[in-house]
Amino acid sequence: MTHLDEQARAILRQNDKGGYTLPTHGLYPYQWNWDSAFAAWGFATFDVARAWDELDTLMASQWDNGMVPHIIFHQPDPGYFPGPDVWQTGQTPETSGISQPPITAIMARLIFEIDERTGRARLEALYPKLVKWHRWWQEMRCTHGPVAIIHPWESGRDNCPDWDIGMAGVDGSAVGPYERRDLGHVHADMRPTKEDYDRYIAIVEFGRSVGWDDTKIVQDGPFLMADPGITFMLLRAHDDLAVLGRALGEDVSEIESWATTLRSALPLIWNDALNAFDARNLRDGAFANILGSGAFLAYLAGAGNPQLEAQLLRAWNAVNYGVPSADPEVDLFNPRKYWRGPTWPVVNALIAIGLNADGHIDLAERLRSETAALIRKHGFYEYFDPVDTTPCGGKDFTWTAAIWLTWARHEPQENAAKGAA
């Protein structure tokens, strides 16, 4: 075991709150949805039982309607804004009112396949909850075909340029005074602006005003955009959930129908002018006309094509390390600004899983190697400048440690040796 392996394990353990894992201390003091799914994958490399515990704790806060919230406020922490007093969802434990990328089934399959015999009972308990969550996505967020998000935070790629056209229509002028706590942990140049935050809170206040009624939020809310990233993640998650269902002897015809329906909606988010998949404002049909990393998650769902590959290589070759979160050849690109240019190890890992499955072994290995180089040079930061490698965001970050243990550290010869054994 290398020093970095030991350090990555130590980060998972130090961020472990007993059944759930913090993304990092200080900046993110609660349980985040897709962070937990990555944490579970990381734990599975040395403690499979603890990995299942992580997923169980996440799904234990599922709402009656099937939604799994993006934040679970297990313990009070006045250092975080917006906390449960802002969301006011009425859940126990208290939670936010929106969801986050549904990658839990993807990770559950990876964990289950490590040890199917001992994992079967854990999966049997988890499976019905996953089906219920996927049904919620289809019924509540796929009403326009592709997956829609009702808040940029729901995408996991919070302030990426994809959402700018939708955010422009959100009025944040009536939001009262508040104190952001994130700026006490990370430099303001790396975080969303106050104008962004005013609009974020305005969207939360609308959700609160309608009692977090999904139908009303989708119909009348201030923000509704089709998200290529979640569309592709949900597609892959549907496929993986169906695999898990078959392993348990379940009827997976409903899940297969969801995948078929969602795949048929992909032409609605293909932008011919961009030669790529693109976010779309569902209030007026306008494309964002922004090449973002969410488009490249198409490979995760087996939806890559030659035009998209050309765009991937163009954007990727314009930087030095990893896939950038926004097009480096447009003016809005900012290599250190949260989701507006940096490269994210977790997104790189998901793209690489897709590239490998699509037969692009060389590109997947390039992405792994570049991501590993960032971690070896600077450690386990939240994200990185893809041009000069500057580490950004929170440090000792759970999901970056998890990605190291599961994917980034594995050299090709090591993988070959494992296969031979």
Side-chain angles (χ1 to χ4, degrees):
M1 185 187 301
T2 69
H3 170 68
L4 279 175
D5 297 340
E6 293 174 349
Q7 189 179 350
R9 288 188 179 191
I11 287 170
L12 288 176
R13 291 189 180 107
Q14 77 187 27
N15 292 341
D16 183 356
K17 299 295 286 183
Y20 71 95
T21 311
L22 304 181
T24 188
H25 285 272
L27 182 60
Y28 300 113
Y30 299 112
Q31 182 179 20
W32 262 258
N33 188 317
W34 72 324
D35 294 73
S36 259
F38 284 114
W41 191 25
F43 275 119
T45 63
F46 62 95
D47 188 344
V48 176
R50 177 62 186 80
W52 286 113
D53 290 344
E54 187 80 23
L55 299 185
D56 284 345
T57 305
L58 172 63
M59 299 305 294
S61 290
Q62 184 171 44
W63 288 21
D64 289 343
N65 66 1
M67 194 268 281
V68 181
H70 97 292
I71 306 175
I72 304 165
F73 303 107
H74 289 286
Q75 299 175 357
D77 192 317
Y80 181 80
F81 177 85
D85 57 318
V86 177
W87 292 92
Q88 296 181 20
T89 60
Q91 300 292 309
T92 304
E94 294 177 290
T95 75
S96 65
I98 60 175
S99 199
Q100 231 181 3
I103 63 166
T104 303
I106 301 172
M107 298 306 164
R109 179 182 175 184
L110 291 169
I111 296 165
F112 178 65
E113 290 177 347
I114 291 172
D115 185 346
E116 296 187 9
R117 184 181 62 83
T118 58
R120 186 178 181 88
R122 305 297 298 266
L123 178 61
E124 286 176 342
L126 194 69
Y127 179 80
K129 297 178 181 180
L130 289 172
V131 173
K132 188 176 180 180
W133 189 24
H134 283 224
R135 185 180 294 114
W136 175 85
W137 277 105
Q138 285 297 137
E139 294 179 352
M140 294 293 134
R141 293 291 189 266
C142 296
T143 54
H144 292 68
V147 175
I149 55 169
I150 57 94
H151 195 298
W153 290 341
E154 199 161 58
S155 73
R157 301 179 297 122
D158 297 10
N159 71 317
C160 66
D162 305 38
W163 318 132
D164 287 358
I165 60 170
M167 285 285 279
V170 178
D171 181 6
S173 63
V175 171
Y178 58 87
E179 182 180 354
R180 288 173 60 180
R181 305 304 177 99
D182 58 321
L183 301 183
H185 301 281
V186 177
H187 196 282
D189 288 348
M190 296 182 183
R191 298 294 295 175
T193 66
K194 183 183 185 304
E195 184 180 29
D196 291 330
Y197 251 81
D198 287 347
R199 289 170 170 167
Y200 294 152
I201 300 307
I203 300 171
V204 171
E205 290 179 347
F206 179 86
R208 189 177 66 203
S209 74
V210 297
W212 298 106
D213 183 313
D214 282 312
T215 301
K216 292 179 180 177
I217 293 171
V218 169
Q219 180 175 321
D220 301 320
F223 181 95
L224 188 72
M225 288 195 70
D227 178 0
I230 290 192
T231 298
F232 297 128
M233 286 184 273
L234 182 59
L235 254 177
R236 173 58 181 256
H238 281 336
D239 290 343
D240 285 345
L241 187 59
V243 169
L244 294 173
R246 291 186 203 102
L248 296 177
E250 298 284 345
D251 178 359
V252 298
S253 56
E254 183 182 25
I255 301 169
E256 290 173 334
S257 72
W258 294 336
T260 299
T261 299
L262 188 54
R263 193 170 295 277
S264 69
L266 295 184
L268 297 175
I269 52 172
W270 179 263
N271 185 347
D272 284 326
L274 196 64
N275 264 331
F277 292 103
D278 193 11
R280 196 166 192 174
N281 188 350
L282 294 173
R283 295 303 183 211
D284 61 14
F287 279 113
N289 284 310
I290 294 292
L291 184 67
S293 56
F296 304 131
L297 290 167
Y299 292 98
L300 189 64
N305 59 49
Q307 298 98 314
L308 186 67
E309 183 179 343
Q311 288 287 56
L312 167 63
L313 291 174
R314 179 187 62 77
W316 191 358
N317 290 335
V319 297
N320 299 314
Y321 291 88
V323 175
S325 49
D327 190 340
E329 297 184 345
V330 299
D331 290 340
L332 55 72
F333 174 73
N334 186 328
R336 299 182 191 176
K337 188 80 165 180
Y338 201 64
W339 292 107
R340 299 184 76 84
T343 189
W344 295 70
V346 287
V347 175
N348 290 346
L350 293 175
I351 293 172
I353 290 172
L355 288 170
N356 262 319
D358 203 43
H360 293 291
I361 309 302
D362 55 339
L363 293 180
E365 169 51 24
R366 173 187 165 188
L367 191 48
R368 185 209 63 79
S369 178
E370 291 178 6
T371 305
L374 291 168
I375 295 171
R376 287 193 180 98
K377 185 172 183 179
H378 295 294
F380 301 96
Y381 276 80
E382 186 177 3
Y383 55 97
F384 299 87
D385 183 321
V387 178
D388 69 7
T389 79
T390 297
C392 303
K395 64 179 182 177
D396 296 337
F397 218 84
T398 290
W399 68 12
T400 307
I403 290 308
W404 173 262
L405 292 170
T406 55
W407 170 67
R409 68 173 294 273
H410 293 291
E411 301 286 350
Q413 60 269 25
E414 183 178 348
N415 292 332
K418 286 185 177 181

